[in-house]
Amino acid sequence: MTREPHVSERTCIVTRQRGAPEAMIRFVCGPDGALAPDIKASLPGRGVWVTARADIVAQAARKSLFARSLKTRVDPAPQLADDVDRLLEADCLRMLSLANKAGAVMAGFGKVAEALAQGGVGALVEACDGREDGKRKLAQAARRAGSTAPVIGLFSSLQLDLALGRTNVIHAALAEGGPSTAFVARCRRLAAYRGVSIDGATAAGEEIEAKPDSCAKEG
């Protein structure tokens, strides 16, 4: 009889549901009682796991579930859920920067349109504070090219500028494979944490008001 490969799972301390580590956030407690989000699951020490959603992380802190699960005094920061969001966002932008250094990123409306026509685009990135007409035109170009690349709208133009070392980045495209795949996976995790779709729209399809330095989050 063929045995199925073992799949690592963790249990959320809030929902008590089991799931893949990639769908959860690990937290560890330091000697001083400070709670540290371990989004890469690499920090030493005993850890506990929480489903990777902002509302569930906030609930774990509010109900003192970290202390109960770790069986020690724990002082979660009041803004713990927001801290995790910033870490996940920074991880996405770091991977975008790495993809750019690997030569996998094309920025600018014309270059993105050309890349779509040629094929091989693994992801489209649109600044959340960019003009809607440009996004619409590139969406039409993607349809004409038969592209099924995901559209990522989680970051502002300023954030894209800093990640790519350029100015006024509104549209970008990533070549298929390699760091692009890793970037998209991180973006999906961030979107799930915020409760929005990867293109930045809320789960209910509500309009999002752009902020100067980052895209708005649900709630």
Side-chain angles (χ1 to χ4, degrees):
M1 181 176 64
T2 303
R3 298 182 62 181
E4 294 184 1
H6 175 70
V7 178
S8 176
E9 290 186 330
R10 301 292 186 268
T11 300
C12 172
I13 64 172
V14 179
T15 67
R16 307 310 303 174
Q17 294 180 345
R18 295 180 64 82
E22 295 78 14
M24 297 190 184
I25 305 293
R26 182 176 183 259
F27 293 85
V28 297
C29 182
D32 58 353
L35 192 70
D38 180 19
I39 65 167
K40 296 183 180 179
S42 60
L43 294 177
R46 184 181 175 214
V48 294
W49 297 78
V50 178
T51 299
R53 277 177 36 193
D55 57 334
I56 295 181
V57 171
Q59 184 178 345
R62 187 173 63 252
K63 294 186 176 182
S64 302
L65 297 180
F66 291 110
R68 189 181 307 170
S69 298
L70 290 166
K71 296 180 172 59
T72 187
R73 179 177 173 272
V74 177
D75 294 319
Q79 73 284 1
L80 180 63
D82 288 338
D83 289 345
V84 173
D85 185 283
R86 282 189 287 271
L87 289 171
L88 293 174
E89 184 178 73
D91 193 39
C92 290
L93 293 169
R94 181 186 66 83
M95 185 53 63
L96 178 60
S97 179
L98 290 175
N100 184 52
K101 292 176 181 177
V105 180
M106 296 139 284
F109 183 93
K111 290 184 178 180
V112 172
E114 183 180 353
L116 285 169
Q118 293 176 350
V121 171
L124 290 172
V125 181
E126 303 278 10
C128 61
D129 49 352
R131 295 174 61 89
E132 292 301 321
D133 59 341
K135 298 177 184 179
R136 183 172 58 254
K137 290 176 181 177
L138 284 181
Q140 292 171 348
R143 286 195 293 272
R144 287 195 298 270
S147 173
T148 58
V151 178
I152 297 167
L154 301 172
F155 313 108
S156 70
S157 177
L158 176 59
Q159 289 175 307
L160 298 178
D161 289 353
L162 294 173
L164 299 177
R166 310 179 192 188
T167 57
N168 196 31
V169 178
I170 303 297
H171 313 283
L174 285 79
E176 290 178 331
S180 302
T181 302
F183 170 66
V184 172
R186 282 163 170 78
C187 289
R188 292 193 188 282
R189 190 184 193 196
L190 175 62
Y193 184 80
R194 291 178 173 176
V196 301
S197 57
I198 197 171
D199 63 1
T202 65
E206 299 172 354
E207 183 178 354
I208 292 179
E209 179 184 356
K211 294 185 178 179
D213 57 348
S214 65
C215 291
K217 303 164 191 174
E218 186 184 34

